[in-house]
Structures are given as C-alpha cells and as structure tokens.
Amino acid sequence: MNKTRTVVTSIILGLVSIISLIPFWLMFSMSTYKSEMIFQNNPMIPSDYFIENLKTIFASNFVQSYVNSFIISASAMLLSVIICSMAGYAMNVYEFKLKKIVNMFIMMTMMVPTQIGIIGYMIEMRNMKINNTLLPMILVWLASGLGAYWMISFFKSGLPLELVESARIDGASEPKIFCRIALPCIKPGILTLCLLQFLWSWNSYMYPLVFVNKAENYTIPIFVKSLASAYRTDYGAQLAGLTLSTIPVLILFMFGSKSMIRGLTAGAVKG
C-alpha cells in the first residue's frame, strides 16, 4: 500500500513539474524563431534562429541592462534584508512607547497599493537630484512593510528572549547579539526574504518605467520592451532576452529552494 502511494505521488508530482516547466520550454523554443515565423510553426519544436536573436539583443544595450538589473536587485536585497531584520529585532526585543502603533503602521503599509505613492516618491527623488540614476529603483525597496512584518514574525517565533538576556548578562554588545545570536536563529526567514526581494526587484517594471529616461539606465524588463518599434516588434529577440533574464532567478531557486520552503512553512502546525 505504501509503495503504491509512493508511486502515485511520484507520478502526480512528475506531471505537475512537467506542466510547470512547459511555459519555460515554450519561451526558450519560441526564442529560437524569427519573429515572423513564430506563429507559423509548432512553437514546441525549437528552430535554428536562436543565435541571430542573441546577436540582435547583444548588439543593443543588453549587457548594460543586465548589469543594471543585477546591481539594483543585489543592492535592494542586501539593504532591505538588513533594515527589515533590524526592525524585526527591535520590535521583539525592545520595549518602547508607541510600539503597538508602530506595529499597526507596518501592517497598514501592506494594505496601501504602491502605485498610490509613486507620484510623491518621484517628486521626492527629483528634489534630491537622483531621479536619473539607479538609486530610486534601489531605495524604493528598503522600507518594505512586508519584509519588516516577515522579520517581526520570524524573530517572535525563532528567537528566545532568554538568549538575548543571557548574552547581555555576559557583557555582549547589542550589535554582537544581533549579528551572532539573533540572525542565525532566523536563517530560513532571511534566506526566504532574500529570494523574494531579489525576485521582486529583478522583475520590477513600473519603477524603471517611471524613473528611467536614458538607455544606459535600462533594466531587463525595460530593455526587452525597447526591442519593439512603431512598425515591428521583434518577439524572437524579446523572448531570447527573457530566456537569459530567467537564469539568475533559476540559479537562486536551485540553491535556495530548500531554505525558502523552510521559511515559508515555518510555524506550521503538525497534526
């Protein structure tokens, strides 16, 4: 009975995996066609035009756009995780006035659509004279309400306050307690937030669309969109660019999927 259940489960999981991979295969297969030929052939079977599509995108500003996206995503991921971790630590370890109000404010920020504040944010960046740089697309991810709430929840369930008190009695400084004791206790949560933050900033289209006015500041989504003119859209080249743009995300998920699953299922009740 157990063997049968294992076989059936494996078959179902295999089918789900194949179905999930079909869009990626279609994206790659269609990127091997010339634009005009994509809808005239079977898109499941690759063609021989992939190298030409690669030449098209590399002849444009693809490398610079790739580097820009990586700089933005890596910086946003690192700084956001640091800030959110510090916020989560402070909200759990310290007692201060208006703590409940601050916690409520963090939760309220998750209810407000980001599109509402983009005009004010754009004016703010313009007044700071950094609206034509990569900084607006990095800074927008730092004050993440979801990230702060995520870290608050993980610190609440994963960091025993007794450890903090013991470390203080032993004479450890607050930065040392935070780095050496608190952060290792919530490692799955940190890695999960890293993956999510990198994915969000890597795939972001709205903020680059608003703040990017120069080709040298293009990110991958804006670059892919730029491969279209008023007379022709090069779908083959766009799909080739999208195929290459998924590589960093796939690598991150390959090496961090187990930690991400542990982070997403942390606190689940066994029954």
Side-chain angles (χ1 to χ4, degrees), residues 118 122 137 204-214 217-219 221-223 225-226:
I118 194 169
M122 180 176 62
M137 293 173 282
S204 175
Y205 179 77
M206 181 180 65
Y207 291 112
L209 181 65
V210 172
F211 290 103
V212 171
N213 297 320
K214 301 177 182 179
N217 290 333
Y218 277 178
T219 60
I222 301 300
F223 169 80
K225 181 64 177 177
S226 71

Side-chain angles (χ1 to χ4, degrees), residues 61-162:
N61 201 32
F62 177 76
V63 175
Q64 184 63 51
S65 302
Y66 212 91
V67 172
N68 290 341
S69 285
F70 187 81
I71 292 174
I72 292 170
S73 299
S75 301
M77 177 187 71
L78 179 63
L79 296 175
S80 176
V81 169
I82 291 174
I83 293 173
C84 292
S85 298
M86 294 172 68
Y89 179 79
M91 291 295 293
N92 282 280
V93 173
Y94 301 121
E95 293 295 332
F96 53 90
K97 294 182 179 180
L98 305 179
K99 181 177 179 179
K100 292 184 178 180
I101 295 177
V102 172
N103 191 44
M104 186 180 299
F105 175 76
I106 291 174
M107 289 189 290
M108 288 177 60
T109 59
M110 295 187 291
M111 305 176 189
V112 180
T114 55
Q115 293 84 352
I116 293 179
I118 194 169
I119 296 177
Y121 181 68
M122 180 176 62
I123 296 173
E124 182 181 6
M125 294 297 103
R126 186 180 62 187
N127 292 336
M128 295 173 64
K129 309 298 182 182
I130 58 174
N131 57 316
N132 288 323
T133 66
L134 299 181
L135 285 175
M137 293 173 282
I138 297 175
L139 297 178
V140 72
W141 299 103
L142 302 192
S144 172
L146 177 59
Y149 181 77
W150 183 273
M151 289 293 101
I152 290 172
S153 300
F154 265 91
F155 273 114
K156 185 176 182 179
S157 61
L159 176 63
L161 295 181
E162 292 80 5

